[in-house]
């Protein structure tokens, strides 16, 4: 019998009042990877853990990265009533060694209903520098708040990023984007004039 390593999970508030971050003492995903589900149907076949979390009637979103899960809930119940239950559920699930993620879902194809077709981004000579800065300075802070940031492109002085997890729809994410990230990139790369967020939908 191999001895099970005790799993600990603690809950942490995020700047977004509708999300809570659950941090485990083990890695759930390879560093740098993240995955987000907004329904049980979306999680089916990809993440058994996310699928089970959607059985809680108040769960509306599950985001996973490195060693944490950020859960988004509806307004039906306050966190006070559900945090212990979710924490215990996640801890027991991980303790039993059940699968967190079977495979990564394919990036969502954007619906082409409107005039504008799916955005295709041309690479620029500054992409690597921007990604390196985001990875070094921004990613740890964003993950600290239960979210993730992905670089999309750089064109005409404008950096486009995608915010996920607790950062998506968070009241303070615009301030973070404009104040923190934009200032940081401008300091290192004078070519950067503005940072904007791409809509996840």
């Amino acid at each position: 019998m191999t001895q099970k390593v005790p799993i600990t999970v603690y809950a942490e508030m995020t700047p977004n009042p509708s999300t809570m971050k659950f941090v485990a003492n083990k890695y759930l995903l390879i560093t740098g990877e993240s995955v987000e589900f907004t329904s049980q149907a979306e999680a089916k076949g990809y993440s058994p853990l996310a699928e089970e979390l959607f059985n809680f009637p108040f769960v509306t979103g599950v985001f996973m990265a490195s060693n944490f899960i950020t859960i988004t809930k509806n307004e039906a119940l306050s966190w006070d009533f559900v945090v212990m239950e979710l924490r215990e559920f996640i801890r027991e699930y991980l303790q039993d060694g059940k699968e967190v993620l079977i495979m990564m879902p394919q990036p969502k194809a954007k619906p082409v209903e409107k005039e504008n077709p799916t955005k295709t981004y041309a690479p620029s000579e500054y992409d690597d520098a921007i990604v390196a800065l985001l990875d070094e300075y921004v990613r740890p802070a964003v993950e600290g708040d239960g979210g993730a940031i992905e670089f999309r492109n750089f064109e005409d002085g404008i950096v486009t990023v995608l915010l996920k997890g607790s950062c998506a729809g968070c009241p303070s994410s615009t301030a973070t984007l404009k104040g923190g990230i934009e200032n940081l990139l401008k300091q290192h790369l004078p070519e950067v004039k503005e940072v904007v967020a791409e809509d996840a939908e």
Side-chain angles (χ1 to χ4, degrees):
M1 281 289 288
T2 54
Q3 201 172 358
K4 284 184 182 174
V5 177
I7 299 287
T8 58
V9 174
Y10 66 89
E12 203 176 82
M13 297 292 289
T14 75
N16 186 344
S18 60
T19 68
M20 183 73 72
K21 180 181 170 186
F22 294 87
V23 185
N25 64 338
K26 66 170 276 182
Y27 275 90
L28 311 174
L29 297 186
I30 302 158
T31 308
E33 280 190 351
S34 66
V35 64
E36 186 161 28
F37 302 102
T38 54
S39 70
Q40 192 165 41
E42 227 175 70
K44 238 183 210 6
Y46 296 108
S47 172
L49 173 55
E51 217 181 306
E52 289 205 29
L53 284 166
F54 280 110
N55 287 331
F56 290 95
F58 50 83
V59 171
T60 60
V62 176
F63 172 82
M64 301 178 197
S66 59
N67 68 331
F68 68 87
I69 299 169
T70 301
I71 293 176
T72 308
K73 69 164 186 62
N74 59 24
E75 299 303 307
L77 291 163
S78 111
W79 280 117
D80 301 345
F81 296 108
V82 297
V83 120
M84 293 295 287
E85 189 183 358
L86 281 171
R87 197 179 60 132
E88 265 313 287
F89 175 80
I90 293 167
R91 192 187 67 74
E92 282 177 18
Y93 188 97
L94 297 175
Q95 184 75 58
D96 291 342
K98 294 184 195 167
E99 284 190 285
V100 173
L101 192 74
I102 301 169
M103 59 191 251
M104 289 293 269
Q106 292 303 308
K108 279 186 212 143
K110 301 237 164 73
V112 191
E113 301 148 21
K114 307 178 189 83
E115 331 287 70
N116 54 348
T118 308
K119 287 181 197 154
T120 48
Y121 292 127
S124 83
E125 56 186 303
Y126 300 106
D127 289 4
D128 292 345
I130 293 167
V131 169
L133 288 166
L134 290 176
D135 280 351
E136 188 175 347
Y137 298 105
V138 181
R139 189 191 295 278
V142 170
E143 285 191 352
D145 284 340
I149 184 167
E150 277 180 20
F151 171 72
R152 280 292 183 252
N153 92 317
F154 176 70
E155 194 177 357
D156 301 330
I158 296 169
V159 175
T160 305
V161 294
L162 178 65
L163 296 170
K164 302 202 300 194
S166 66
C167 299
C170 171
S172 61
S173 67
T174 314
T176 305
L177 200 65
K178 293 294 175 195
I181 303 169
E182 195 173 287
N183 287 344
L184 169 85
L185 292 178
K186 281 177 174 172
Q187 276 173 3
H188 290 83
L189 291 168
E191 294 78 10
V192 173
K193 299 187 183 73
E194 194 186 355
V195 175
V196 296
E198 178 183 89
D199 292 332
E201 287 312 305

